[in-house]
Amino acid sequence: MNRFFLPLGIFVILVIFLWVGLKLNPREVPSPLINKIAPTFRLPQLHDAEKTIGPEDLRGKVWLLNVWASWCVTCRQEHPLLVELGRQNLVPIYGLNYKDDRENGLAWLKKLDDPYVLSAYDREGNIGIDWGVYGVPETFVIDKAGLIRHKFIGALTPELIQNKLIPLVKELNGA
Amino acid sequence: MHSKFIFVLVLLLLAPLTNADQTVISKADPVLEERVMALSEHLRCLVCQNQTIADSNAELAVDLKNQVRDKLRQGESEQEILDYMVKRYGEFVLFKPLVKSTTWLLWFGPLLLLVLGLGVLIINLRQRRKLMQQAPALSAEEHVRAASILSGKRGEEHS
């Protein structure tokens, strides 16, 4: 009996491991910045190079930081969802225009609509590295105290927004 | 038709030149460059996860190498830079995982499997030897029968 059950048992365990492994996404590296204070920066605004923006300006409110670029195809796919979310006035969305050309970024927003209260302009991508950005788009949820509470890697989907993002924002706002 | 083909061929041959700028790095300071590359060997490229940023020309890898270079130039130590990266990208960014309780299985799992395998092998061999020793020796009659079977005269078996 042992002759059959031992290999069979090992096989079943192997299948369970592989099955779980299939559902994991190695591309999603959990951010160590979750529940840490958001890395600070002081960047020129996309629309007005004279003015700057930094996380300190937004203390006391819950906000989103969406990392985007005009060269990013997935951002284009995600964009209508952000526009829709922006219209709902649930949470202010700020943009981090990542390694982009100012002209291209502005033209992109003009053409596809601008869901952002403001976009910060990160020409060199250094702030992106500071925030642990490795794939665009990424969306951070920052709470009133300035802590990063969640990071969405890759494009947001209607399900993610409905089931995760909006409930989280409501919770952080104490509603 | 023929000239078109040659034209395309020439274009293809020229193609590598167009992204040549990706690999151009400042050779002004070879000592610094060596330190940058040495440290880059320890950092994982998160876009192309099985490569180090030293091996990768992905845009993020190039940016991270630049970041490493800037920080070294500013006088930060190798360990400080690794810590900085871990703080932002998590321990996964280290190409060689740290040895700690959550990675023990990863580090010592293969050794464990080797020891287990050797154990099973030794037990099996011992059991087999014991079985061989216990097997009763053949009688003279049985020897004759065995010899006849082996020589192929199977008929005698039943006679």
Side-chain angles (χ1 to χ4, degrees), chain B:
Chain B
M1 194 63 193
H2 197 69
S3 63
K4 223 182 223 171
F5 176 72
I6 292 189
F7 178 66
V8 169
L9 205 66
V10 168
L11 280 185
L12 284 175
L13 285 171
L14 288 175
L17 298 177
T18 56
N19 58 10
D21 64 315
Q22 284 193 354
T23 42
V24 171
I25 40 172
S26 94
K27 291 279 180 236
D29 188 346
V31 181
L32 178 74
E33 226 35 58
E34 212 162 280
R35 286 180 68 199
V36 171
M37 284 320 267
L39 194 54
S40 300
E41 298 278 348
H42 294 288
L43 293 167
R44 183 189 303 278
C45 170
L46 287 147
V47 184
C48 29
Q49 298 186 345
N50 290 331
Q51 280 186 309
T52 65
I53 62 171
D55 292 334
S56 172
N57 276 330
E59 205 162 321
L60 182 73
V62 175
D63 287 349
L64 286 176
K65 267 181 277 189
N66 288 334
Q67 192 90 357
V68 167
R69 186 176 300 116
D70 287 348
K71 285 184 179 296
L72 282 174
R73 208 175 269 151
Q74 284 159 22
E76 285 189 33
S77 74
E78 266 82 355
Q79 193 54 50
E80 276 170 338
I81 295 172
L82 288 179
D83 289 346
Y84 169 89
M85 293 294 177
V86 169
K87 241 186 224 161
R88 265 131 200 102
Y89 290 101
E91 255 168 42
F92 188 62
V93 81
L94 299 176
F95 205 68
K96 196 169 149 187
L98 296 174
V99 183
K100 53 181 216 172
S101 58
T102 50
T103 57
W104 281 344
L105 196 61
L106 180 71
W107 276 101
F108 306 117
L111 194 71
L112 191 77
L113 284 180
L114 182 71
V115 170
L116 271 176
L118 279 178
V120 169
L121 184 68
I122 289 172
I123 289 172
N124 259 334
L125 286 178
R126 281 217 179 126
Q127 269 176 352
R128 201 161 71 169
R129 199 196 291 158
K130 213 185 268 173
L131 279 178
M132 301 250 286
Q133 282 167 351
Q134 282 170 354
L138 294 181
S139 64
E141 195 187 330
E142 280 168 331
H143 265 296
V144 173
R145 249 181 87 199
S148 73
I149 291 170
L150 286 172
S151 66
K153 293 182 210 155
R154 302 196 90 216
E156 282 179 33
E157 218 177 316
H158 300 288
S159 67

Side-chain angles (χ1 to χ4, degrees), chain A residues 82-93 115 117 166 169 173:
Chain A
L82 289 174
V83 172
E84 173 61 33
L85 182 66
R87 284 212 188 104
Q88 292 178 36
N89 270 330
L90 286 167
V91 58
I93 310 171
V117 182
I166 292 179
V169 164
N173 270 321

Side-chain angles (χ1 to χ4, degrees), chain A residues 84-156:
Chain A
E84 173 61 33
L85 182 66
R87 284 212 188 104
Q88 292 178 36
N89 270 330
L90 286 167
V91 58
I93 310 171
Y94 287 81
L96 181 71
N97 185 222
Y98 177 70
K99 299 200 69 174
D100 207 350
D101 192 78
R102 194 183 285 272
E103 300 296 307
N104 292 347
L106 287 171
W108 201 74
L109 289 180
K110 206 166 192 183
K111 191 173 155 206
L112 298 174
D113 212 348
D114 186 352
Y116 307 110
V117 182
L118 273 177
S119 276
Y121 182 56
D122 184 16
R123 176 80 199 87
E124 304 303 324
N126 288 335
I127 304 309
I129 291 179
D130 234 19
W131 281 61
V133 170
Y134 65 90
V136 195
E138 288 186 11
T139 307
F140 295 85
V141 182
I142 297 110
D143 73 4
K144 292 177 181 173
L147 302 178
I148 294 177
R149 298 303 285 263
H150 196 79
K151 174 184 179 181
F152 296 93
I153 296 160
L156 291 168

Side-chain angles (χ1 to χ4, degrees), chain A:
Chain A
M1 272 322 223
N2 218 359
R3 263 189 121 72
F4 293 106
F5 283 114
L6 194 66
L8 193 67
I10 292 173
F11 177 72
V12 168
I13 290 169
L14 198 69
V15 165
I16 292 171
F17 268 90
L18 291 175
W19 184 257
V20 172
L22 266 183
K23 308 216 158 171
L24 297 178
N25 182 0
R27 297 239 153 244
E28 273 196 20
V29 182
S31 173
L33 289 169
I34 303 295
N35 292 329
K36 301 258 166 60
I37 204 99
T40 186
F41 60 79
R42 180 86 2 225
L43 279 175
Q45 296 179 8
L46 180 67
H47 288 87
D48 186 350
E50 302 291 309
K51 290 189 193 154
T52 63
I53 171 86
E56 289 75 20
D57 307 348
L58 303 166
R59 277 289 152 78
K61 51 180 166 184
V62 179
W63 55 290
L64 303 183
L65 184 73
N66 177 252
V67 185
W68 66 280
S70 66
W71 46 260
C72 153
V73 181
T74 319
C75 300
R76 187 173 280 259
Q77 188 188 330
E78 177 190 64
H79 201 76
L81 295 172
L82 289 174
V83 172
E84 173 61 33
L85 182 66
R87 284 212 188 104
Q88 292 178 36
N89 270 330
L90 286 167
V91 58
I93 310 171
Y94 287 81
L96 181 71
N97 185 222
Y98 177 70
K99 299 200 69 174
D100 207 350
D101 192 78
R102 194 183 285 272
E103 300 296 307
N104 292 347
L106 287 171
W108 201 74
L109 289 180
K110 206 166 192 183
K111 191 173 155 206
L112 298 174
D113 212 348
D114 186 352
Y116 307 110
V117 182
L118 273 177
S119 276
Y121 182 56
D122 184 16
R123 176 80 199 87
E124 304 303 324
N126 288 335
I127 304 309
I129 291 179
D130 234 19
W131 281 61
V133 170
Y134 65 90
V136 195
E138 288 186 11
T139 307
F140 295 85
V141 182
I142 297 110
D143 73 4
K144 292 177 181 173
L147 302 178
I148 294 177
R149 298 303 285 263
H150 196 79
K151 174 184 179 181
F152 296 93
I153 296 160
L156 291 168
T157 60
E159 293 77 32
L160 277 175
I161 292 178
Q162 282 309 322
N163 303 334
K164 183 86 207 177
L165 197 150
I166 292 179
L168 179 63
V169 164
K170 284 191 173 149
E171 185 199 320
L172 293 176
N173 270 321

